[in-house]
Amino acid sequence: LSKGRALMLYHYLPFDKTLWGRMCSPPSVALQLVAMWPVLAVRAAFFTLLLGCLLVEPEAHQLTAFVLAHKSSQLVSGVMFAVQGLLAFWLCAAALVPADAPDSSGCALRGPGVSHSVTADAIALVWLQALVWLAFALLPHASGSGARRGSDANPLAP
């Protein structure tokens, strides 16, 4: 279990790889794609698992990286949602409806957002925001970035 935790944290938040190094690593790319997946339940499960891995030994740098990664993936998946909605609306309003059709009820059946559960999406969004606020609440109780375990000395003290 601890080895799986270490592998997930290393491939998602590696300490020794640049952005290019992460893009060349298939496990890192796979985890980034899961984090940006447009299904909210998948993102909620992924970030819950990630925060659970971070809670074993909370460190300020990792918690801050978690918050930033969550918010950046929220931006990317939001853009993906917008493009998906735009394409779904275009398909139902213009592409799939014949030009001589008297009524455009195709959008009522195939329009954007018709097949989604609003309740499930709302619960997943609230859960994702609660994870971010939990990470913020844990920051004062986390160890400093790069601090040695068991060391009380302040590395910034003169």
Side-chain angles (χ1 to χ4, degrees):
L1 192 61
S2 66
K3 192 168 193 150
R5 173 190 170 270
L7 281 172
M8 181 172 176
L9 287 177
Y10 176 73
H11 286 297
Y12 191 71
L13 300 169
F15 66 94
D16 61 345
K17 290 185 181 180
T18 62
L19 178 64
W20 180 252
R22 289 173 64 187
M23 288 174 44
C24 292
S25 170
S28 294
V29 171
L31 288 174
Q32 294 298 326
L33 289 175
V34 171
M36 294 182 293
W37 201 259
V39 179
L40 289 174
V42 172
R43 289 185 61 234
F46 174 76
F47 281 107
T48 301
L49 181 65
L50 182 61
L51 187 61
C53 289
L54 292 174
L55 289 180
V56 174
E57 295 177 19
E59 186 184 55
H61 174 74
Q62 288 180 338
L63 289 173
T64 304
F66 170 82
V67 171
L68 292 173
H70 176 273
K71 289 302 182 180
S72 62
S73 74
Q74 185 179 16
L75 172 76
V76 171
S77 67
V79 170
M80 290 169 57
F81 274 134
V83 170
Q84 180 183 9
L86 176 76
L87 289 175
F89 182 71
W90 178 77
L91 283 173
C92 78
L96 298 179
V97 176
D100 57 353
D103 132 39
S104 62
S105 63
C107 285
L109 303 173
R110 295 183 304 267
V114 172
S115 64
H116 287 114
S117 168
V118 175
T119 307
D121 286 350
I123 289 171
L125 281 174
V126 169
W127 179 255
L128 284 167
Q129 297 312 310
L131 290 175
V132 170
W133 283 102
L134 177 63
F136 269 126
L138 291 171
L139 274 174
H141 307 289
S143 65
S145 177
R148 286 187 221 151
R149 305 277 184 241
S151 173
D152 290 338
N154 184 359
L156 300 177

